[in-house]
Amino acid sequence: MEYTILRPISDGPIVTLTISRPQALNALNSVFFNEMDDFITEISGNPELRALIITGEGKAFVAGADIAEMVNMSPEEGRNFSGRGQAVFNRLGELPFPVIAAINGFALGGGMELAMACDFRIASSNAKFGQPEVNLGLIPGYAGTQRLPRLTNLADALYLLTTAEVIDAATALQMRLVQKVTEPENLLEEARRLAGLIAQKGPLAVRLVKEVTRRGLGMSHNAGEELERNHFGDPFGNEGAEGMKAFLEKRKPNW
Ligand code: CO8
């Protein structure tokens, strides 16, 4: 499929998606959400894929939702724009393989929300994070108010959301908002190394672990255990049998 803002590059089982609208610091507009929705549909149907990396072109990962597109919106249009973005970002969580945000620069507002919608995040040491919506008299609209306290904690989330302070990568690491920080020149290499590690694991196991962990977070402990138990048997007799057999035979599994 042809895209105007998205630049996907496939490398075997790994796709690296670059958001490419550097003249507006990759700000998220309607075209982005339409293309992202189509892109997710396109890759969902590819059983060979094992990981998706999302990064941005230039000095920003994404500097937020497109302020120029939002400025004249009515309350109803604002709600619709938010709902559209939430639905598209939720689809990233439903992909049957991990999505890694490789944050190369500014991840502000909707950009930080996109990063948080990914499964985990690695950041360049020069990345900057913030939820500056209150500077504009707005609140986050792509689930930032919901994901940020779940990823960090209530106080850190409210600190960032109410002060709009922009933090550096080291502080984001301290808040556990990102899992790893690299030198700028090593960011994509490290993202691909992690994606490559994941690609070597049992694909069904990776899909199940993502699904059970994500879904379990919204459940009681007991319901989450039941979900885990219900899926534990799925790889037996197929991928799990091969993985365990390979271990016992001291060889690499042939998924
Ligand atoms: N939207 C539209 N255009 C943008 C955005 C944006 N979010 N960010 C930057 N741009 C544009 C600038 O207007 C500028 O365009 P031009 O060259 O035509 O003047 C170009 O990108 C380059 O930007 P700057 O010249 O400002 O670059 P600097 O290096 O001086 O500054 C900053 C970089 C600090 C990142 C600065 O651009 C900035 O503060 N940007 C806005 C950050 C922001 O407030 N983001 C939050 C937006 S609101 C949001 O994301 C809400 C999400 C939920 C929405 C829910 C739907 C309703």
Side-chain angles (χ1 to χ4, degrees), residues 103 112 120-125 127-129 148 151-153 156 160 167-183 194:
I103 302 154
M112 183 156 140
F120 59 88
R121 288 148 288 287
I122 65 171
S124 146
S125 55
K128 298 267 186 282
F129 300 80
L148 187 53
L151 288 174
T152 60
N153 58 64
D156 280 340
L160 292 176
I167 58 170
D168 62 15
T171 310
L173 183 65
Q174 215 176 9
M175 286 185 184
R176 303 310 299 157
L177 187 55
V178 301
Q179 280 56 61
K180 199 160 202 174
V181 176
T182 73
E183 288 308 309
L194 294 170

Side-chain angles (χ1 to χ4, degrees), residues 21-28 33 59-60 62-70 73 75 77-86 89 106-113 128 130-136 138-144 166:
R21 199 187 165 216
Q23 68 280 12
L25 303 189
N26 304 326
L28 306 178
F33 284 108
K59 67 178 178 182
V62 167
D66 190 325
I67 299 169
E69 187 170 340
M70 291 190 297
M73 282 183 185
E77 287 168 331
R79 266 193 295 279
N80 291 340
F81 196 50
S82 163
R84 169 80 171 137
Q86 288 177 349
F89 285 4
F106 292 110
L108 301 176
M112 183 156 140
E113 292 175 293
K128 298 267 186 282
Q131 294 286 168
E133 285 85 351
V134 291
N135 288 338
L136 303 167
L138 298 176
I139 71 168
Y142 304 140
V166 174

